Amino acid sequence: MHSSPRVLALIPPMTQLNTPYPSTAYLTGFLRSRGVAAMQADIALELVLELFSPAGLDALKARIETLPRKERSPLAAGFLQHFPLYRSRIGPAVAFLQGRDPSMALRIASRSFLPEGPRFDSLDAYLAEEGEDPLAWAFGALGTQDRARHLATLFLNDLADLLREVADPRFEFVRYAESLALSQASFDPLARALAAPPTLVDETLERLTLAAIERHQPTLVLLSTPFPGSVYGAFRMAQAIRARYPDLTLVLGGGYVNTELRELAEPRVFDFFDYVCLDDGERPLLALLEHLQGERPRLNLVRTFTRVEGQVRYFHSGEPDIPFAEVGTPTWDGLPLDRYLSVLDMLNPMHRLWSDGRWNKLTVAHGCYWKKCSFCDVSLDYIGRYDTAGAALLADRMEAIIAETGQTGFHFVDEAAPPKALRALAEEILRRNLAVSWWGNIRFEKSFSPELCELLAESGCIAISGGLEVASDRLLQLMKKGVSVEQVARVTRAFSDQGILVHAYLMYGFPTQTVQDTVDALEYVRQLFLEGCIQSGFFHRFACTVHSPVGMNPAEYGITLRPLPPGKFAKNDVQFNDPTGVDHGLLGQGLNKALYNYMHGIGLDEDVRAWFDTRVPKPTVGRNRIARALAGS
């Protein structure tokens, strides 16, 4: 007789600091709905809170003191010199960022409470040059809480820089050791890092991981890796668990696995994990649990890799996924919601939403209803399988989550939330008189009329993000984006007119994109900011993936693919030859510089050519093109 399974889902470092990454909440809620004893823990958060604590700073100080004086940087020397101050201030700073001690705001905002390192230099340089408070424009006279949050964030960033410098050069708050896993055909770099002596961060991570295992006593451990920057941490955790608890079953899954490990053939992965599951985890986990209980043969596993007699084998019985309407309600039970950190890196009101505030993550629909964009992984399940649930069920899930968390803010994490579903949900929220705030990702399509934007605002919509990509009608058509620049202007303005903040995802380096295309796109972006259509944006360098239409049909886009490096591990990004020969890396510096300034309201009247360090052609776009489009001419 097999004992009932106990499943523990762990979030490895690093994902985000302000709110739990939702994968474990989804799986824990689903498994509990099926009668499985399921628990979860956020080891990423625990790691940060341990490293940035008085005890963590003691360990950092001890590490610095092992270095010869001549090898200590000014940052390290300053830390040692003012160590009692750093040690006494770290607790209050973290508690303030957690929202547990708001009374500290006035002391932190005074700039006489926290020790200040190089991250504060730009504030002092501005003060010296302009003779005025550099944060006054952002926070005014009364924005004390936000001002203090920004200063406390700079304080943590100083300490993270120091940690990287003396304890672990790979450490990041988000992209921890990302280069070890990002499109790595060979497992060798990761294997070498895992075989190396543990760093201070590794030792802390291993201790916290083993404590979680001891606390929850699971029989099955799930490690969810949404990004390349969480892979090293997941393998380090698995390594520690395997050494102490060799009989525990370990399973790897998540967004990184779903995109980069679809052709996994590397046996060494299974020195760390027993199974690797692809795509949505609900059906594969049910099948795996049945197999481990002796109720299902291995041959009937679902989308699961394992090692058999030294070789990697893939098992998939072809069973359908759990319908979106039946996956249950995510639960955050077991996660310390009062200990997440609302950090404020960017002062832009829209940009800050990703790192500031505790948002309940929820999905309006599974997959993307459009699924045509040529740069997107439309061939994969998370995009290609579109499945919906009714508005009443979604509102039920929202009410259940509010009752559990006490939080009424929602971030809809869809690839692109459908306008029809958002309309129905907004009407249901208003019918129930729910007081919520929400934001999410959409396509800037004409269905988002001024009337619909008004309805969404009334239901609690505070912000919207969407892909403008390259602001060029020729390239948008090549991308099969299904929108035009002028249409995007009208839609984004309709949102902005309702007080809804708008963020545009932007792209450069798309196949056949010329320097002229890039300059014209930046001119469009300048005008969109100037006309109040968008308040925030981010430029991504185009990456060709093997799962996208561009990667599968490169000739249609005027490029040729370079051979993939040999290897049995990750496979996703693929290099290509573009006949335009444009140095997009050089142009990217100018684009990012311009966007940073635009988001802070600076340089909106300047010629866009001024942002580039190299000579570029004059824009061919009229300087009032967006204004005329909005006026209907």
Side-chain angles (χ1 to χ4, degrees), residues 475-495:
L475 291 171
L476 286 171
Q477 193 169 1
L478 184 62
M479 290 175 176
K480 298 181 175 63
K481 190 71 186 172
V483 300
S484 68
V485 176
E486 293 190 358
Q487 178 184 311
V488 169
R490 286 189 284 268
V491 170
T492 52
R493 181 62 176 270
F495 279 111

Side-chain angles (χ1 to χ4, degrees), residues 45-316:
L45 176 69
E46 290 184 25
L47 177 67
V48 167
L49 295 180
E50 180 79 14
L51 292 171
F52 296 89
S53 69
L57 296 195
D58 286 341
L60 190 57
K61 174 174 178 281
R63 190 60 55 100
I64 295 170
E65 287 174 338
T66 65
L67 298 173
R69 285 184 182 275
K70 61 183 179 182
E71 292 182 20
R72 297 174 191 172
S73 69
L75 178 59
F79 175 77
L80 290 181
Q81 182 181 353
H82 301 290
F83 179 73
L85 194 60
Y86 275 98
R87 194 182 192 283
S88 67
R89 298 314 195 232
I90 188 65
V94 167
F96 173 73
L97 290 173
Q98 291 172 324
R100 294 190 295 118
D101 193 2
S103 65
M104 286 304 306
L106 284 165
R107 291 204 69 190
I108 293 172
S110 71
R111 292 194 65 186
S112 62
F113 181 71
L114 298 177
E116 299 187 356
R119 291 282 188 153
F120 292 79
D121 289 350
S122 61
L123 300 183
D124 293 329
Y126 184 95
L127 185 63
E129 187 174 326
E130 302 293 334
E132 59 185 52
D133 179 1
L135 301 181
W137 70 269
F139 305 122
L142 293 176
T144 307
Q145 290 285 330
D146 281 349
R147 179 193 295 260
R149 190 174 293 131
H150 180 59
L151 293 168
T153 301
L154 294 178
F155 174 62
L156 285 196
N157 286 338
D158 266 333
L159 289 171
D161 291 343
L162 180 61
L163 190 66
R164 231 177 344 267
E165 189 180 286
V166 303
D168 192 333
R170 299 173 299 230
F171 180 80
E172 295 281 352
F173 279 131
V174 177
R175 295 184 174 91
Y176 179 38
E178 182 180 62
S179 62
L180 292 175
L182 184 61
S183 293
Q184 280 283 3
S186 172
F187 188 68
D188 290 348
L190 195 53
R192 284 193 295 270
L194 292 165
T199 66
L200 172 64
V201 176
D202 294 334
E203 291 169 354
T204 309
L205 177 60
E206 290 169 4
R207 177 163 42 82
L208 294 170
T209 301
L210 295 175
I213 301 298
E214 186 67 29
R215 193 162 62 244
H216 294 288
Q217 298 289 306
T219 59
L220 179 72
V221 178
L222 312 176
L223 282 151
S224 176
T225 53
F227 318 115
S230 58
V231 173
Y232 172 77
F235 272 82
R236 265 289 178 190
M237 291 165 68
Q239 184 182 52
I241 296 170
R242 179 69 84 228
R244 179 74 63 87
Y245 302 97
D247 295 330
L248 263 182
T249 301
L250 296 171
V251 185
L252 180 68
Y256 169 82
V257 174
N258 301 341
T259 51
E260 304 222 12
L261 300 188
R262 301 196 76 84
E263 298 179 30
L264 180 64
E266 174 55 76
R268 288 177 290 175
V269 168
F270 298 92
D271 293 339
F272 302 85
F273 294 94
D274 298 287
Y275 302 95
V276 175
C277 295
L278 293 180
D279 300 326
D280 284 8
E282 287 86 355
R283 180 65 75 191
L285 284 175
L286 288 183
L288 181 58
L289 288 169
E290 289 176 5
H291 170 62
L292 295 173
Q293 293 286 97
E295 299 166 3
R296 174 186 289 248
R298 184 171 61 195
L299 194 64
N300 286 354
L301 290 173
V302 177
R303 295 195 304 274
T304 299
F305 291 99
T306 190
R307 185 169 58 187
V308 181
E309 296 177 354
Q311 299 298 312
V312 179
R313 294 275 305 278
Y314 181 63
F315 297 94
H316 181 42

Side-chain angles (χ1 to χ4, degrees), residues 335-553:
L335 299 178
L337 299 183
D338 61 340
R339 300 186 73 208
Y340 286 85
L341 302 160
S342 274
V343 296
L344 188 48
D345 280 307
M346 283 287 289
L347 306 185
N348 179 277
M350 170 75 206
H351 220 76
R352 65 185 284 183
L353 291 180
W354 278 274
S355 62
D356 184 21
R358 234 288 298 143
W359 302 99
N360 298 311
K361 306 273 188 175
L362 198 60
T363 310
V364 176
H366 183 283
C368 178
Y369 67 98
W370 179 252
K371 55 187 174 191
K372 295 179 184 176
C373 297
S374 57
F375 54 83
C376 196
D377 289 342
V378 296
S379 65
L380 299 186
D381 178 82
Y382 80 100
I383 300 286
R385 181 170 60 85
Y386 179 59
D387 188 13
T388 61
L393 180 57
L394 290 172
D396 287 345
R397 289 176 179 173
M398 292 176 74
E399 288 189 317
I401 291 168
I402 292 168
E404 178 184 276
T405 67
Q407 302 281 340
T408 59
F410 286 84
H411 179 197
F412 296 136
V413 292
D414 300 68
E415 297 303 313
K420 185 178 178 182
L422 285 179
R423 177 186 287 276
L425 180 58
E427 290 170 345
E428 185 67 15
I429 288 171
L430 291 169
R431 189 185 69 76
R432 298 188 187 196
N433 206 22
L434 279 181
V436 297
S437 57
W438 61 268
W439 58 294
N441 201 50
I442 62 162
R443 291 181 62 249
F444 293 132
E445 61 166 77
K446 59 179 180 289
S447 303
F448 288 104
S449 62
E451 175 268 331
L452 178 53
C453 291
E454 182 179 8
L455 176 70
L456 298 181
E458 287 175 4
S459 75
C461 179
I462 57 169
I464 284 294
S465 59
L468 172 55
E469 317 313 343
V470 178
S472 155
D473 286 336
R474 176 185 76 83
L475 291 171
L476 286 171
Q477 193 169 1
L478 184 62
M479 290 175 176
K480 298 181 175 63
K481 190 71 186 172
V483 300
S484 68
V485 176
E486 293 190 358
Q487 178 184 311
V488 169
R490 286 189 284 268
V491 170
T492 52
R493 181 62 176 270
F495 279 111
S496 294
D497 284 347
Q498 295 299 323
I500 296 171
L501 297 169
V502 181
H503 174 89
Y505 291 107
L506 302 161
M507 184 185 293
Y508 66 101
F510 193 75
T512 74
Q513 183 175 350
T514 64
V515 175
Q516 185 70 64
D517 287 330
T518 301
V519 173
D520 287 351
L522 185 58
E523 174 59 23
Y524 273 126
V525 170
R526 181 193 71 81
Q527 293 183 34
L528 289 169
F529 272 99
L530 186 65
E531 296 299 328
C533 297
I534 62 177
Q535 289 75 46
S536 171
F538 188 81
F539 267 110
H540 301 257
R541 174 75 180 267
F542 169 74
C544 181
T545 73
V546 295
H547 313 295
S548 69
V550 176
M552 292 187 287
N553 306 292

